[in-house]
Amino acid sequence: MATTPVTLDELDPLIHVPARLRIVATLAALSDGDALSFTRLQEMIELTPGNLITHLRKLEDAGYVSTVKTGNGPASRTSVALTHRGRAALEAYTETLRGLLGGLDTARPRTSTPQAAPRPLPT
Amino acid sequence: MNGTRDIYEAETADDEGEFDPLEAATLLDQTRARAQRRLDMRSPWLSLLGAAVVLVAFGALWLSVRGQHPYTGPTAAGLLVMYGILVGWIVVVTKTHRRATAGLSGRSIRQQRAYGAAVVAALVCVSVFQGVLKHDGVSNAIVYGIYPPTAQLIVLGTLGAAIAAGREDWPGFGVGIAIGLVAAGSAFAGPIGVWLSDGVGCCVAVLGYSAAQAWLRHR
């Protein structure tokens, strides 16, 4: 039985952007029920605060991340977490990528160059 | 910049440009691995240091009781070395933990606090029971020899194994069980030999854990 080939259009456009992919992948490394402060997230993915806010807003509008602000004034703190929907979207995105790259030999060793074949994607 | 920056470092000011799936897969892989490393306080180097701490601390106690007839227990100098090393170790672990969990909140932080409280409670219970043994006139060879390292390591090992199993940290589970077994077996070595046997046995177990961590990170 022939299977329908996966196309680029099937990649979630909200995640298929380097900055947002980094945000979602970083938040996915947290355990379920955990959140990361805005400051730590910014430090980990090395984006400017303005850039990060813009991307987070898009992800929040789609229901992929949730933000909670606690406290007031200088002591206020914003925490960011990946929602179940966001986690599912990243899993679907990963599956689509795997389908797109299926023809490649994913067992090849990873090199330090950006164009190297990726390791098998995490499940 | 040396012109070989990896894809993770490649900043995209305008995010709507071309993004190759191969690049995306590499970026996803790198970001996930990097995030997991930075959020995880466990490291092969920390475990290696832990193995050295165990060996030196138990070694100091063994040297302080070696040749005692009758057995009276570790000397003040031996205990000073052991507690000094232990305090230094706690400072290093605390700093590493704070760095890894900075900005993190939620379920895993609450769980870690509960685990910490359970470990402290278990160690307090072990110490109280040691007092009971002394009160009931049990010999120094048991109260200050066989009992303290055996009971504490069995409690710490098995509790650690249970916590690791909850996180599906199988190397951690393995080292916890190994420490419990080493502690139980070392009791046969008597009040003097128990310190050396525990020190060497636990050091080997933690070295194995360190090697397993290093292998898992670089496979």
Side-chain angles (χ1 to χ4, degrees), chain B residues 27-135:
Chain B
L27 180 62
L28 178 59
D29 181 32
Q30 287 180 348
T31 307
R32 228 192 266 237
R34 201 177 276 215
Q36 280 167 351
R37 259 201 317 274
R38 295 183 69 177
L39 292 166
D40 190 355
M41 69 162 281
R42 292 164 296 175
S43 83
W45 291 110
L46 198 61
S47 301
L48 209 59
L49 190 63
V53 163
V54 167
L55 191 64
V56 174
F58 278 89
L61 293 177
W62 173 69
L63 286 173
S64 79
V65 298
R66 200 173 49 151
Q68 283 185 2
H69 295 292
Y71 184 88
T72 51
T75 60
L79 288 171
L80 201 66
V81 171
M82 190 269 284
Y83 282 120
I85 288 170
L86 211 59
V87 167
W89 168 245
I90 289 169
V91 168
V92 170
V93 169
T94 305
K95 277 190 174 174
T96 311
H97 182 262
R98 280 198 183 147
R99 198 182 309 128
T101 59
L104 193 64
S105 57
R107 188 182 298 165
S108 58
I109 294 294
R110 289 193 297 273
Q111 279 178 340
Q112 280 171 21
R113 284 180 187 148
Y115 292 152
V119 168
V120 169
L123 291 178
V124 168
C125 291
V126 165
S127 298
V128 169
F129 191 70
Q130 188 181 6
V132 172
L133 291 177
K134 180 69 183 166
H135 181 261

Side-chain angles (χ1 to χ4, degrees), chain A residues 46-123:
Chain A
E46 296 159 7
L47 279 180
T48 62
N51 247 339
L52 182 55
I53 289 171
T54 307
H55 290 300
L56 281 178
R57 203 164 286 153
K58 286 182 183 176
L59 290 168
E60 196 172 13
D61 288 345
Y64 288 1
V65 301
S66 61
T67 58
V68 176
K69 192 175 177 183
T70 50
N72 288 310
S76 71
R77 172 191 152 124
T78 303
S79 295
V80 188
L82 197 63
T83 61
H84 289 295
R85 191 174 173 183
R87 210 170 276 274
L90 181 63
E91 276 171 24
Y93 177 84
T94 307
E95 273 305 309
T96 310
L97 268 185
R98 191 176 284 126
L100 276 168
L101 303 172
L104 294 173
D105 177 11
T106 52
R108 262 186 291 172
R110 184 171 58 162
T111 69
S112 57
T113 55
Q115 294 307 314
R119 286 194 296 179
L121 291 169
T123 51

